[in-house]
Structures are given as C-alpha cells and as structure tokens.
Amino acid sequence: MTTQRDGTDPEAAGRVAQFTAAARRVRIPSRSDVRTAVRWGVRQGVPGVALKLGARTGDMFARLNTDPALKADPYGYYDLVRTAAPVVPGRYVMATSRHSVAMQILRGDEFRSGIPEELMPRPMQAVLEWSRDDAAVGGLTDRPSMLMNNGADHLRLRRIASKAFTPKAIEALRTRVGQIATELLDEVERRQHGGATVDIVTEYAGTLPVLAIAEILGVPPELQSTFLDWGERILPAADWGVPLRTYRDISATLREMNDWLLQHFDALRRDPGDNLLSRIVSASDAEKAIDPAGGLSEAELVSVAGLLLFAGFETTVTLIGAGTVRLLGDRDQLELLGAQPERWRNAIEEILRIDAPVQFTVRYPARDTEVAGVPIPRGRMVAVLLAGASRDPEVFPEPTRFDITRENARDHLGFGSGAHFCIGAPLARLEGEIGLRKLFDRFPDMTLAGRPILGPNTTFRGYAHIPTRLNA
C-alpha cells in the first residue's frame, strides 16, 4: 500500500470515488414510485399470479390470457366455452361466449363494469386509495373513466361526452377523414418503388386514426407523432398481468400526456376550436356555471380525453387491419364491393363481427344473481367474450364465413351493448369505412407479401404488421 505526502491512500480514494459515483447513479424511489409499485401489485401483480394459478387448474379465462397459442387464435376456444355452459365457472373469473347470455349480462341492471373495488376487503381498498395517483389517471382502467364508473356517475360522464358525438358532428368529420386518407395514400404511393413491400399498418392504418383523433382533440400537427407514441405505450394497460416495468412506463406516459391535456383544456377555454374536445369542455363548463357541482372535474375531463384517444385510435387501427386481411383473402367479397360500393357499411359490420377489435369485457354483479340458470355470486367477475358471442351460430348461421351481405351483421357485440356501449362506435365505423374503401379504390390489385403479424395485446386483438405489394 502506498501513501501520498498528504497522508491519503490513492487506492482507497479511488474506491471512495467509485462508490460516490455509483451512489449518484442510484435514484432513491420517490413517493410516486412507491405508489405505482403498490398499485401495480394490487391491479396487475396479484391478478397475474392468479391467472397463472387458474390456468393450471383448467380456468378457461385464465388459459385464454396465458396460453400463447390461444392468444394467437382464440376462436376455437370461444366455441368450447360456448358449448361447455351458458357461463363457465372459473377460480377467479367466470366466462361466457353465448350471444344471448352476453346480452343479458351487458344490459342487466344488476351488473357493473370494471373491477369491484368497493367489494374488496377494507385493507385492500385502503391500499388502492393510498396508491392512487391522480396525475396518472387513464381512460381505460382507472376511475373516473366511463369504463370503470357505473350508475349516476357513469351517466353524468356519458351525457356530457355524448354532446360531442352527435350524428351531425360525426358526419361533419367524413370529409376531413377522407382528405387525411387521400393524403396518406398519396405518400404511400410516392414511397413505393419497383414493387417494394408496404406495411399497411405502420404506413397507413396506424396513422390515419391518429391524425383523425388529433383533429377531434384539437392537437397541433407537431404533436401528432407524440400522440401516436403515447397511445402505443399506454395500450398494454388494457391487458391483465403486465410486468412492473411496463406498468411504470404506462404511468409515466399517462403523467406526461395528462399534464399536456390539462394545459390544453385551458388553451381550448381561451380559444375554442372546431373540434369535439372543445365541445366537451364547453358543455362541462356551461353546466358548472349553472351548478358548481355539475359538469366534469379536470380529472374526469382527462379520463374522457384519454378514452377518446383509444375509442378513435386502437379500435380503428384494428378494424382497418382486420378488414384488409379479410378482403385480400376473399377476392369474391372484394369484387362485390367494387361492383356494389353501397355495401361498404354492412361490410364494416361484418368485419367487426368476425374480427372483433375488443375481444372481451368484464362485468360483476352488485348482488347475488343468476344468469341462464347459473348462479353468479356478488362481486364475482364474468368475462363477456364479445368476439365469441359475435360468432354464436344460434344468431349467425355459418359464423366463420365472411359474408358482407349478411343481413344481421350489425347484431355483433364488437362495441358491447347496454349502458356501456362504446361511445366512439360511430367514429370507428366512419373511419373504418373511409379508410378501407379508399385503400382498395386506390390499390385494387394489392396482395399480401408475407404473413400478417398479430400484436401482443390479448384484449385488443389486431395486426401489428401487414406486409403487402400494392401493384399500383
């Protein structure tokens, strides 16, 4: 060991310096970090473990969420669920894929949407309340989202939000959505060289609804790519049992987006624009002016805006992607649309039926009840397999056949039913119709250039990549 004249040990000093540098790199968890981890444990960690345990004991819903083969192709499994019982039992979650039973649950006054937090043990309720982060409230899985609220609160939120979704307002978007689709297809055609492969999802289907929703929310053009990134990073929140690292990223993304939205609300109040979000903010403020207890809080406005992002974004991406694959795989149906374009609206309904963007939703009864002779205890969650119910042969003859002339295609449950029927359904239908029609009008000879790749999400089942050759 050597010692310098000043009495210091160079090696020891070096170790201290290394330790100090390492300590600086270690970030002490903030209170927000701890809350996020605790909330993940209750909302994702414990359910994730429960799903794995349930799958080992034959729980049908648990298998659906944990078996990669079933995630890739769940439809045969939905048939098994349907034939097994009106409502199949489960260790943690019951399930049904019968159309009639699904309708009874979705429309039943005794059933609630979301997670039965109010029926949890009081210590767990206290933990959830403590871990709540108002800055990271999302439109998909957290109250005060319309999806998670019931009764009077849900009706109040929906009543104000629906003022922006009048038939006149949606139809007014038709021209603008058509312009956006044309501009995107012009760009796709310019980038195509010598029969190069084009990914319809990344270059068209994934961009069209983002630009449209940006118009709806009054998002400036320079932020549109940021919104696309936010949407993709938040989407995993719709799944069950996501990893802690993913959950942390979701929470961080929500804080970032919500902070911008709060500033955006103030900007819309100062300078209202001709967009749906401006109308929602104005309608809410008008109610508050009459009654301070009326209208929507800022957190409720944030949740509505977040829900609009997904109602007009992810559902439409999935719809356009599924429609592209279906029509490329059935040239007879595509040629029929070319000869009879008035069938496009019904074609969209048939795509929603056979390839439901949202595969399932969850309900629970507020009291002990019975459905189709099956007892369902108070608080027991029931997975309504929307995609399975939309292929019920009791309602849809030859349910696996893609038929754009199907007379009752609109009876599908792709948008749910009852009080929680998707508020963005008219927008998704309009964007899907315009997006697909313009795509095939421009490139009628388009073909697949490889196998379409599904995305990883179980709840939102859609394609992440669709390689094509446009043959323009």
Side-chain angles (χ1 to χ4, degrees):
M1 182 179 71
T2 59
T3 304
Q4 293 183 349
R5 290 182 180 180
D6 60 3
T8 62
D9 176 359
E11 293 182 7
R15 287 194 294 273
V16 170
Q18 289 177 356
F19 176 80
T20 302
R24 287 173 179 165
R25 291 195 297 269
V26 175
R27 186 174 66 85
I28 298 174
S30 67
R31 185 168 180 170
S32 178
D33 292 331
V34 175
R35 287 177 185 269
T36 298
V38 170
R39 194 165 187 82
W40 167 84
V42 176
R43 299 291 296 273
Q44 295 286 348
V46 172
V49 172
L51 285 174
K52 291 178 181 178
L53 292 174
R56 293 174 186 170
T57 58
D59 186 308
M60 285 190 151
F61 181 69
R63 279 200 60 199
L64 185 63
N65 281 269
T66 56
D67 188 331
L70 294 183
K71 285 187 176 185
D73 184 6
Y75 294 106
Y77 199 65
Y78 294 155
D79 293 339
L80 289 177
V81 172
R82 188 184 309 111
T83 56
V87 182
V88 299
R91 183 169 182 175
Y92 303 103
V93 181
M94 306 174 81
T96 183
S97 62
R98 294 190 185 182
H99 191 279
S100 60
V101 176
M103 290 284 283
Q104 185 176 344
I105 292 173
L106 294 173
R107 296 184 175 185
D109 292 337
E110 68 273 30
F111 282 92
R112 304 287 182 266
S113 177
I115 298 171
E117 293 182 7
E118 69 277 10
L119 301 179
M120 291 179 176
R122 288 192 177 182
M124 189 171 287
Q125 290 187 46
V127 168
L128 273 175
E129 184 59 34
W130 178 85
S131 65
R132 180 181 175 80
D133 185 352
D134 288 335
V137 167
L140 288 177
T141 61
D142 294 297
R143 293 175 181 171
S145 167
M146 276 191 285
L147 296 180
M148 298 291 110
N149 259 316
N150 297 283
D153 283 337
H154 172 259
L155 291 175
R156 177 174 56 85
L157 287 163
R158 192 177 184 92
R159 175 172 50 80
I160 294 177
S162 63
K163 292 182 179 180
F165 282 90
T166 62
K168 182 179 179 180
I170 294 298
E171 196 59 31
L173 287 168
R174 180 174 290 275
T175 300
R176 182 59 188 135
V177 172
Q179 290 172 347
I180 293 171
T182 297
E183 291 166 5
L184 286 174
L185 291 171
D186 287 345
E187 185 62 27
V188 168
E189 192 166 8
R190 278 194 295 269
R191 287 199 301 267
Q192 185 195 19
H193 297 290
T197 299
V198 172
D199 188 335
I200 289 298
V201 176
T202 59
E203 298 192 44
Y204 180 63
T207 307
L208 171 62
V210 171
L211 297 180
I213 204 69
E215 300 264 342
I216 290 166
L217 298 179
V219 177
E222 63 271 17
L223 266 179
Q224 289 170 356
S225 61
T226 301
F227 254 73
L228 175 59
D229 179 59
W230 282 342
E232 291 176 346
R233 290 168 62 189
I234 295 170
L235 179 62
D239 258 347
W240 293 49
V242 301
L244 176 57
R245 179 179 295 181
T246 303
Y247 193 79
R248 282 174 174 158
D249 185 60
I250 293 168
S251 297
T253 305
L254 283 169
R255 292 188 194 98
E256 183 181 338
M257 184 179 76
N258 293 349
D259 181 63
W260 181 85
L261 282 171
L262 289 171
Q263 298 176 55
H264 187 50
F265 296 152
D266 290 337
L268 292 179
R269 289 180 175 112
R270 293 191 301 269
D271 184 20
D274 185 21
N275 56 73
L276 300 191
L277 187 58
S278 278
R279 294 176 194 144
I280 292 174
V281 173
S282 297
S284 173
D285 290 351
E287 292 208 8
K288 281 186 178 179
I290 299 172
D291 178 5
L296 304 180
S297 67
E298 295 298 275
E300 288 171 335
L301 280 174
V302 163
S303 74
V304 168
L307 188 56
L308 290 179
L309 173 62
F310 285 97
F313 167 51
E314 190 57 39
T315 301
T316 307
V317 175
T318 303
L319 172 57
I320 294 175
T324 299
V325 173
R326 282 284 168 188
L327 290 168
L328 289 180
D330 196 327
R331 287 285 170 180
D332 289 343
Q333 298 288 288
L334 185 57
E335 289 174 5
L336 181 58
L337 283 170
Q340 301 177 23
E342 66 275 10
R343 292 189 181 275
W344 265 111
R345 291 196 177 186
N346 198 66
I348 294 301
E349 301 302 331
E350 178 67 351
I351 295 166
L352 288 164
R353 182 197 71 81
I354 202 166
D355 289 306
V358 181
Q359 292 286 291
F360 60 82
T361 187
V362 176
R363 296 288 187 271
Y364 67 92
R367 53 181 172 79
D368 291 345
T369 189
E370 183 179 290
V371 174
V374 179
I376 303 178
R378 173 176 177 259
R380 174 62 64 87
M381 288 189 290
V382 182
V384 181
L385 305 177
L386 303 172
S390 293
R391 291 185 176 210
D392 188 337
E394 291 293 321
V395 179
F396 306 101
E398 298 182 77
T400 61
R401 182 169 61 89
F402 178 54
D403 179 10
I404 65 168
T405 69
R406 190 182 295 273
E407 293 183 358
N408 68 337
R410 200 178 174 92
D411 291 339
H412 66 80
L413 296 181
F415 292 123
S417 188
H420 284 270
F421 181 80
C422 178
I423 195 170
L427 176 62
R429 284 180 165 122
L430 180 143
E431 290 180 347
E433 178 190 347
I434 293 174
L436 283 167
R437 183 171 181 175
K438 284 190 170 289
L439 174 64
F440 284 102
D441 282 350
R442 178 74 69 95
F443 305 114
D445 299 323
M446 180 172 58
T447 59
L448 287 174
R451 184 173 62 87
I453 305 299
L454 285 168
N457 201 282
T458 304
T459 308
F460 288 91
R461 185 177 185 273
Y463 293 100
H465 302 284
I466 303 175
T468 66
R469 286 191 178 87
L470 303 180
N471 302 321

